[in-house]
Amino acid sequence: MNFASPFSVAIVAMTTLAFLGLPIGHAMIAGSILYLWLAGLDLGTAAEQLLNGMYTNYVILAVPLFVLAAELMNIGSMTDRLLRFCNAIVGRFRGGLAQVNVLQSIIFAGMSGSAIADAAGTGKLMQNMMTADGKYRASYAAALTAATAVIGPIIPPSIPMILFALISDASIGYLFLGGVIPGLLMAAAQMIIVAWGARRENFPVEPPTPLRELPRITWQAFPSLMMPVVLLGGIYSGVTTPTEAAAVAAAYALVISVVLYRSVSFRDFYRSVLASARTSASIGMLIAGALVFNYVVTVENIPEGIKVLLTTWDLSPLGFLVLVNVLLLLLGCLLEGTTILLVIVPVLIPTAQALGIDMVHFGVMAVVNIMLGLITPPYGLLLFVMTRIAEVPIRDIVRDTLPFLWAMIVSLALITFFPELVLWLPRLLGYQG
């Protein structure tokens, strides 16, 4: 690479701006404009790429709607009722509250599509439940909550999969289906680690919920439990697109919280809309920056160059997937997940397509990699979230997270080597890939 080339200068500028604290989306836009100026291209191209990308991709609307659905779910009593239901199911076993944490992550994964929303929504409540009366170490409870939140964007709906569909033209519906079995596989791995830890550390056994109480608890949680059914049923029956389903999910959460549970005030609603707007704006700026920077990458013909380079290495499809896993896991230690998904992954897609790798399999695998980056130091975003919630040193959370991280890396290896774990369910429902 010529270190005096416009592209190299733009990369240095982006990196410097990000290091100085400028949001990465803004840094990508600034670096891209600098590239256009140095290369003698029309500076207005940046605005053109941004506007065309943001206003012609209907699928992007699903992102703020899923974020709003998660916020509305968290401000109502839906969370409390679902946790009582989870406790009634698995709380009676040794380490039962820890198992409740895993089970609730599976249920909440079908509602929000965001790992951060899941951790912030139920993280504080699970932290208080698990550490009350010294039942569990604060660092263990925080580590488990961070690890279980990773499942959220793998089991549908999933904001990262929506973004992958944006950059790859893969079907959102089939990507959602492809994430079901990997998500359940990762949850099973976490439950095994919890059971192993429960015996080793003699975790407490919770008082069992009387069987006569189970129907009442289930009935109280039933409207909340139906949210994934309404959401995914609309998508796979063909009644709604994924974007329309996101709007239905937000409306359903609002109606259940306000009308049925009567647990949301106007002030709560206003705050949730405000929080959703902030989160959506930050994601939107990342998407905008990535759209402009991806134009620069295309002008430089970098994807084709990487495809040619990897072709000279004579990699098999499996060898390429292993290389991608290693690359994304390492980048996850240093970069924010959405940045990896919108900037790095598009460069790898042409090579994957040239090798005949299925885009649904590749997309699910990439999302799993990026989600694992949320709990890998030093940049694991979920680790920082749980540090604030639990008020414990991050090194203690990292120590207790490692067994769960290794178990999920094993799960990642399984879905890499056995594509049918991802593709079986989509093909069952008509996928031809």
Side-chain angles (χ1 to χ4, degrees):
M1 179 185 292
N2 180 4
F3 289 98
S5 69
F7 184 73
S8 300
V9 173
I11 293 294
V12 171
M14 284 171 48
T15 306
T16 303
L17 290 171
F19 181 76
L20 292 174
L22 189 69
I24 186 66
H26 295 75
M28 284 192 287
I29 293 174
S32 300
I33 292 174
L34 177 62
Y35 170 86
L36 294 173
W37 178 64
L38 293 174
L41 301 174
D42 183 6
L43 298 185
T45 305
E48 180 185 355
Q49 291 296 317
L50 192 155
L51 292 173
N52 285 342
M54 295 297 284
Y55 288 103
T56 60
N57 283 295
Y58 177 64
V59 68
I60 294 178
L61 280 174
V63 174
L65 290 169
F66 277 128
V67 171
L68 178 60
E71 288 290 338
L72 292 172
M73 180 184 67
N74 289 331
I75 63 172
S77 62
M78 295 176 72
T79 299
D80 295 335
R81 294 167 189 260
L82 287 170
L83 287 178
R84 283 199 296 270
F85 172 76
C86 294
N87 189 54
I89 299 298
V90 297
R92 65 187 68 238
F93 304 111
R94 181 165 297 282
L97 271 181
Q99 299 288 12
V100 167
N101 202 334
V102 181
L103 181 60
Q104 63 85 22
S105 73
I106 299 172
I107 296 174
F108 279 87
M111 300 183 186
S112 72
S114 166
I116 304 299
D118 288 350
T122 61
K124 186 71 174 178
L125 189 54
M126 286 304 310
Q127 188 73 21
N128 292 339
M129 289 173 61
M130 291 183 68
T131 56
D133 302 322
K135 294 176 182 176
Y136 295 83
R137 295 192 314 276
S139 60
Y140 180 86
L144 178 59
T145 302
T148 59
V150 168
I151 298 174
I154 298 170
I155 296 176
S158 167
I159 290 174
M161 287 185 188
I162 292 172
L163 298 180
F164 181 83
L166 175 68
I167 62 176
S168 69
D169 291 328
S171 163
I172 297 176
Y174 290 130
L175 282 167
F176 280 5
L177 281 173
V180 172
I181 293 178
L184 295 177
L185 183 65
M186 293 175 74
Q190 291 176 357
M191 285 184 161
I192 291 171
I193 297 298
V194 167
W196 170 71
R199 289 193 180 90
R200 190 186 63 171
E201 301 194 32
N202 196 30
F203 288 154
V205 178
E206 301 299 311
T209 301
L211 290 178
R212 65 178 180 274
E213 293 290 315
L214 190 56
R216 179 182 62 81
I217 293 172
T218 304
W219 177 251
Q220 290 176 342
F222 183 74
S224 302
L225 291 168
M226 286 299 293
M227 186 171 171
V229 177
V230 171
L231 176 65
L232 300 178
I235 295 174
Y236 299 123
S237 66
V239 174
T240 63
T241 65
T243 303
E244 292 164 349
V248 170
Y252 183 84
L254 180 62
V255 170
I256 293 299
S257 297
V258 174
V259 178
L260 189 60
Y261 292 159
R262 298 181 181 179
S263 57
V264 176
S265 66
F266 180 79
R267 178 176 292 181
D268 293 331
F269 175 70
Y270 174 75
R271 287 174 178 169
S272 68
V273 171
L274 200 61
S276 301
R278 290 195 184 105
T279 303
S280 300
S282 65
I283 296 174
M285 283 307 303
L286 272 172
I287 296 173
L291 288 169
V292 179
F293 182 68
N294 285 343
Y295 172 78
V296 172
V297 169
T298 303
V299 170
E300 286 287 307
N301 208 24
I302 289 175
E304 186 64 28
I306 289 178
K307 185 170 78 172
V308 171
L309 174 64
L310 293 177
T311 300
T312 62
W313 291 2
D314 197 25
L315 287 173
S316 67
L318 184 58
F320 173 74
L321 291 178
V322 171
L323 179 64
V324 169
N325 277 330
V326 174
L327 174 64
L328 295 184
L329 286 173
L330 290 175
L331 288 174
C333 297
L334 304 171
L335 298 175
E336 194 270 333
T338 307
T339 305
I340 298 173
L341 187 57
L342 293 174
V343 177
I344 305 300
V345 173
V347 175
L348 302 172
I349 287 175
T351 305
Q353 292 172 327
L355 290 171
I357 295 169
D358 184 89
M359 278 296 100
V360 170
H361 178 226
F362 186 74
V364 172
M365 189 196 77
V367 168
V368 171
N369 269 287
I370 290 164
M371 290 305 101
L372 292 183
L374 292 174
I375 58 171
T376 53
Y379 192 80
L381 195 56
L382 282 172
L383 300 178
F384 292 120
V385 170
M386 292 313 302
T387 296
R388 289 198 300 269
I389 290 175
E391 298 180 350
V392 294
I394 192 169
R395 64 177 179 274
D396 294 341
I397 297 180
V398 170
R399 179 197 63 214
D400 287 327
T401 302
L402 288 178
F404 298 101
L405 179 60
W406 287 117
M408 289 188 287
I409 288 176
V410 171
S411 301
L412 171 62
L414 289 174
I415 67 172
T416 300
F417 288 100
F418 302 100
E420 283 303 310
L421 289 172
V422 174
L423 299 175
W424 176 78
L425 194 53
R427 284 174 176 162
L428 189 66
L429 296 181
Y431 179 57
Q432 300 299 317

